[in-house]
mmCIF file with all atom_site columns, all heavy atoms in Angstrom:
data_model
loop_
_atom_site.group_PDB
_atom_site.id
_atom_site.type_symbol
_atom_site.label_atom_id
_atom_site.label_alt_id
_atom_site.label_comp_id
_atom_site.label_asym_id
_atom_site.label_entity_id
_atom_site.label_seq_id
_atom_site.pdbx_PDB_ins_code
_atom_site.Cartn_x
_atom_site.Cartn_y
_atom_site.Cartn_z
_atom_site.occupancy
_atom_site.B_iso_or_equiv
_atom_site.pdbx_formal_charge
_atom_site.auth_seq_id
_atom_site.auth_comp_id
_atom_site.auth_asym_id
_atom_site.auth_atom_id
_atom_site.pdbx_PDB_model_num
ATOM 1  N N   . PRO A 1 210 ? 28.504 0.936  14.782 1.00 95.00 ? 210 PRO A N   1
ATOM 2  C CA  . PRO A 1 210 ? 28.050 0.995  13.395 1.00 95.00 ? 210 PRO A CA  1
ATOM 3  C C   . PRO A 1 210 ? 27.740 -0.404 12.862 1.00 95.00 ? 210 PRO A C   1
ATOM 4  O O   . PRO A 1 210 ? 28.544 -1.325 13.010 1.00 95.00 ? 210 PRO A O   1
ATOM 5  C CB  . PRO A 1 210 ? 29.230 1.621  12.643 1.00 95.00 ? 210 PRO A CB  1
ATOM 6  C CG  . PRO A 1 210 ? 30.052 2.296  13.685 1.00 95.00 ? 210 PRO A CG  1
ATOM 7  C CD  . PRO A 1 210 ? 29.883 1.463  14.924 1.00 95.00 ? 210 PRO A CD  1
ATOM 8  N N   . GLU A 1 211 ? 26.560 -0.545 12.279 1.00 97.00 ? 211 GLU A N   1
ATOM 9  C CA  . GLU A 1 211 ? 26.180 -1.785 11.614 1.00 97.00 ? 211 GLU A CA  1
ATOM 10 C C   . GLU A 1 211 ? 25.697 -1.418 10.202 1.00 97.00 ? 211 GLU A C   1
ATOM 11 O O   . GLU A 1 211 ? 25.069 -0.366 10.006 1.00 97.00 ? 211 GLU A O   1
ATOM 12 C CB  . GLU A 1 211 ? 25.058 -2.500 12.367 1.00 97.00 ? 211 GLU A CB  1
ATOM 13 C CG  . GLU A 1 211 ? 25.494 -3.110 13.688 1.00 97.00 ? 211 GLU A CG  1
ATOM 14 C CD  . GLU A 1 211 ? 26.141 -4.486 13.529 1.00 97.00 ? 211 GLU A CD  1
ATOM 15 O OE1 . GLU A 1 211 ? 26.422 -4.889 12.371 1.00 97.00 ? 211 GLU A OE1 1
ATOM 16 O OE2 . GLU A 1 211 ? 26.389 -5.145 14.558 1.00 97.00 ? 211 GLU A OE2 1
ATOM 17 N N   . PHE A 1 212 ? 25.963 -2.306 9.252  1.00 97.00 ? 212 PHE A N   1
ATOM 18 C CA  . PHE A 1 212 ? 25.627 -2.005 7.859  1.00 97.00 ? 212 PHE A CA  1
ATOM 19 C C   . PHE A 1 212 ? 24.812 -3.144 7.257  1.00 97.00 ? 212 PHE A C   1
ATOM 20 O O   . PHE A 1 212 ? 25.066 -4.327 7.529  1.00 97.00 ? 212 PHE A O   1
ATOM 21 C CB  . PHE A 1 212 ? 26.895 -1.777 7.040  1.00 97.00 ? 212 PHE A CB  1
ATOM 22 C CG  . PHE A 1 212 ? 27.677 -0.573 7.514  1.00 97.00 ? 212 PHE A CG  1
ATOM 23 C CD1 . PHE A 1 212 ? 28.654 -0.719 8.489  1.00 97.00 ? 212 PHE A CD1 1
ATOM 24 C CD2 . PHE A 1 212 ? 27.405 0.685  7.008  1.00 97.00 ? 212 PHE A CD2 1
ATOM 25 C CE1 . PHE A 1 212 ? 29.375 0.385  8.960  1.00 97.00 ? 212 PHE A CE1 1
ATOM 26 C CE2 . PHE A 1 212 ? 28.108 1.800  7.470  1.00 97.00 ? 212 PHE A CE2 1
ATOM 27 C CZ  . PHE A 1 212 ? 29.086 1.649  8.443  1.00 97.00 ? 212 PHE A CZ  1
ATOM 28 N N   . LEU A 1 213 ? 23.844 -2.764 6.451  1.00 97.00 ? 213 LEU A N   1
ATOM 29 C CA  . LEU A 1 213 ? 23.033 -3.741 5.744  1.00 97.00 ? 213 LEU A CA  1
ATOM 30 C C   . LEU A 1 213 ? 23.817 -4.284 4.556  1.00 97.00 ? 213 LEU A C   1
ATOM 31 O O   . LEU A 1 213 ? 24.845 -3.727 4.180  1.00 97.00 ? 213 LEU A O   1
ATOM 32 C CB  . LEU A 1 213 ? 21.725 -3.075 5.281  1.00 97.00 ? 213 LEU A CB  1
ATOM 33 C CG  . LEU A 1 213 ? 20.823 -2.565 6.410  1.00 97.00 ? 213 LEU A CG  1
ATOM 34 C CD1 . LEU A 1 213 ? 19.659 -1.782 5.836  1.00 97.00 ? 213 LEU A CD1 1
ATOM 35 C CD2 . LEU A 1 213 ? 20.325 -3.707 7.281  1.00 97.00 ? 213 LEU A CD2 1
ATOM 36 N N   . PRO A 1 214 ? 23.357 -5.377 3.950  1.00 96.00 ? 214 PRO A N   1
ATOM 37 C CA  . PRO A 1 214 ? 24.110 -5.958 2.840  1.00 96.00 ? 214 PRO A CA  1
ATOM 38 C C   . PRO A 1 214 ? 24.355 -5.005 1.672  1.00 96.00 ? 214 PRO A C   1
ATOM 39 O O   . PRO A 1 214 ? 25.322 -5.191 0.921  1.00 96.00 ? 214 PRO A O   1
ATOM 40 C CB  . PRO A 1 214 ? 23.208 -7.134 2.404  1.00 96.00 ? 214 PRO A CB  1
ATOM 41 C CG  . PRO A 1 214 ? 22.532 -7.543 3.666  1.00 96.00 ? 214 PRO A CG  1
ATOM 42 C CD  . PRO A 1 214 ? 22.257 -6.262 4.381  1.00 96.00 ? 214 PRO A CD  1
ATOM 43 N N   . ASP A 1 215 ? 23.533 -3.975 1.493  1.00 95.00 ? 215 ASP A N   1
ATOM 44 C CA  . ASP A 1 215 ? 23.768 -3.015 0.416  1.00 95.00 ? 215 ASP A CA  1
ATOM 45 C C   . ASP A 1 215 ? 24.793 -1.947 0.802  1.00 95.00 ? 215 ASP A C   1
ATOM 46 O O   . ASP A 1 215 ? 25.064 -1.023 0.032  1.00 95.00 ? 215 ASP A O   1
ATOM 47 C CB  . ASP A 1 215 ? 22.462 -2.355 -0.038 1.00 95.00 ? 215 ASP A CB  1
ATOM 48 C CG  . ASP A 1 215 ? 21.828 -1.485 1.035  1.00 95.00 ? 215 ASP A CG  1
ATOM 49 O OD1 . ASP A 1 215 ? 22.385 -1.339 2.139  1.00 95.00 ? 215 ASP A OD1 1
ATOM 50 O OD2 . ASP A 1 215 ? 20.722 -0.935 0.766  1.00 95.00 ? 215 ASP A OD2 1
ATOM 51 N N   . GLY A 1 216 ? 25.357 -2.063 2.002  1.00 95.00 ? 216 GLY A N   1
ATOM 52 C CA  . GLY A 1 216 ? 26.372 -1.129 2.447  1.00 95.00 ? 216 GLY A CA  1
ATOM 53 C C   . GLY A 1 216 ? 25.855 0.095  3.177  1.00 95.00 ? 216 GLY A C   1
ATOM 54 O O   . GLY A 1 216 ? 26.639 0.896  3.688  1.00 95.00 ? 216 GLY A O   1
ATOM 55 N N   . SER A 1 217 ? 24.554 0.240  3.253  1.00 96.00 ? 217 SER A N   1
ATOM 56 C CA  . SER A 1 217 ? 23.976 1.404  3.922  1.00 96.00 ? 217 SER A CA  1
ATOM 57 C C   . SER A 1 217 ? 23.880 1.149  5.427  1.00 96.00 ? 217 SER A C   1
ATOM 58 O O   . SER A 1 217 ? 23.810 0.011  5.878  1.00 96.00 ? 217 SER A O   1
ATOM 59 C CB  . SER A 1 217 ? 22.581 1.719  3.366  1.00 96.00 ? 217 SER A CB  1
ATOM 60 O OG  . SER A 1 217 ? 21.676 0.656  3.643  1.00 96.00 ? 217 SER A OG  1
ATOM 61 N N   . PRO A 1 218 ? 23.889 2.210  6.229  1.00 97.00 ? 218 PRO A N   1
ATOM 62 C CA  . PRO A 1 218 ? 23.876 2.025  7.683  1.00 97.00 ? 218 PRO A CA  1
ATOM 63 C C   . PRO A 1 218 ? 22.524 1.563  8.196  1.00 97.00 ? 218 PRO A C   1
ATOM 64 O O   . PRO A 1 218 ? 21.486 1.970  7.666  1.00 97.00 ? 218 PRO A O   1
ATOM 65 C CB  . PRO A 1 218 ? 24.205 3.431  8.211  1.00 97.00 ? 218 PRO A CB  1
ATOM 66 C CG  . PRO A 1 218 ? 23.720 4.348  7.138  1.00 97.00 ? 218 PRO A CG  1
ATOM 67 C CD  . PRO A 1 218 ? 23.962 3.635  5.850  1.00 97.00 ? 218 PRO A CD  1
ATOM 68 N N   . LEU A 1 219 ? 22.546 0.718  9.192  1.00 98.00 ? 219 LEU A N   1
ATOM 69 C CA  . LEU A 1 219 ? 21.321 0.382  9.924  1.00 98.00 ? 219 LEU A CA  1
ATOM 70 C C   . LEU A 1 219 ? 21.294 1.281  11.155 1.00 98.00 ? 219 LEU A C   1
ATOM 71 O O   . LEU A 1 219 ? 22.070 1.104  12.092 1.00 98.00 ? 219 LEU A O   1
ATOM 72 C CB  . LEU A 1 219 ? 21.287 -1.084 10.333 1.00 98.00 ? 219 LEU A CB  1
ATOM 73 C CG  . LEU A 1 219 ? 20.062 -1.484 11.174 1.00 98.00 ? 219 LEU A CG  1
ATOM 74 C CD1 . LEU A 1 219 ? 18.768 -1.184 10.425 1.00 98.00 ? 219 LEU A CD1 1
ATOM 75 C CD2 . LEU A 1 219 ? 20.131 -2.949 11.573 1.00 98.00 ? 219 LEU A CD2 1
ATOM 76 N N   . THR A 1 220 ? 20.432 2.260  11.128 1.00 98.00 ? 220 THR A N   1
ATOM 77 C CA  . THR A 1 220 ? 20.277 3.195  12.243 1.00 98.00 ? 220 THR A CA  1
ATOM 78 C C   . THR A 1 220 ? 19.100 2.755  13.102 1.00 98.00 ? 220 THR A C   1
ATOM 79 O O   . THR A 1 220 ? 18.318 1.886  12.715 1.00 98.00 ? 220 THR A O   1
ATOM 80 C CB  . THR A 1 220 ? 20.034 4.602  11.704 1.00 98.00 ? 220 THR A CB  1
ATOM 81 O OG1 . THR A 1 220 ? 18.864 4.582  10.861 1.00 98.00 ? 220 THR A OG1 1
ATOM 82 C CG2 . THR A 1 220 ? 21.217 5.110  10.887 1.00 98.00 ? 220 THR A CG2 1
ATOM 83 N N   . VAL A 1 221 ? 18.954 3.377  14.238 1.00 98.00 ? 221 VAL A N   1
ATOM 84 C CA  . VAL A 1 221 ? 17.823 3.046  15.120 1.00 98.00 ? 221 VAL A CA  1
ATOM 85 C C   . VAL A 1 221 ? 16.511 3.346  14.406 1.00 98.00 ? 221 VAL A C   1
ATOM 86 O O   . VAL A 1 221 ? 15.561 2.550  14.468 1.00 98.00 ? 221 VAL A O   1
ATOM 87 C CB  . VAL A 1 221 ? 17.919 3.824  16.446 1.00 98.00 ? 221 VAL A CB  1
ATOM 88 C CG1 . VAL A 1 221 ? 16.674 3.576  17.297 1.00 98.00 ? 221 VAL A CG1 1
ATOM 89 C CG2 . VAL A 1 221 ? 19.171 3.442  17.213 1.00 98.00 ? 221 VAL A CG2 1
ATOM 90 N N   . GLU A 1 222 ? 16.438 4.491  13.723 1.00 97.00 ? 222 GLU A N   1
ATOM 91 C CA  . GLU A 1 222 ? 15.182 4.840  13.063 1.00 97.00 ? 222 GLU A CA  1
ATOM 92 C C   . GLU A 1 222 ? 14.841 3.888  11.932 1.00 97.00 ? 222 GLU A C   1
ATOM 93 O O   . GLU A 1 222 ? 13.677 3.592  11.685 1.00 97.00 ? 222 GLU A O   1
ATOM 94 C CB  . GLU A 1 222 ? 15.212 6.290  12.560 1.00 97.00 ? 222 GLU A CB  1
ATOM 95 C CG  . GLU A 1 222 ? 16.363 6.648  11.653 1.00 97.00 ? 222 GLU A CG  1
ATOM 96 C CD  . GLU A 1 222 ? 17.551 7.244  12.390 1.00 97.00 ? 222 GLU A CD  1
ATOM 97 O OE1 . GLU A 1 222 ? 17.799 6.833  13.550 1.00 97.00 ? 222 GLU A OE1 1
ATOM 98 O OE2 . GLU A 1 222 ? 18.244 8.101  11.815 1.00 97.00 ? 222 GLU A OE2 1
#
Side-chain angles (χ1 to χ4, degrees):
E211 289 277 9
F212 296 90
L213 297 173
D215 65 1
S217 65
L219 177 58
T220 57
V221 175
E222 55 267 33

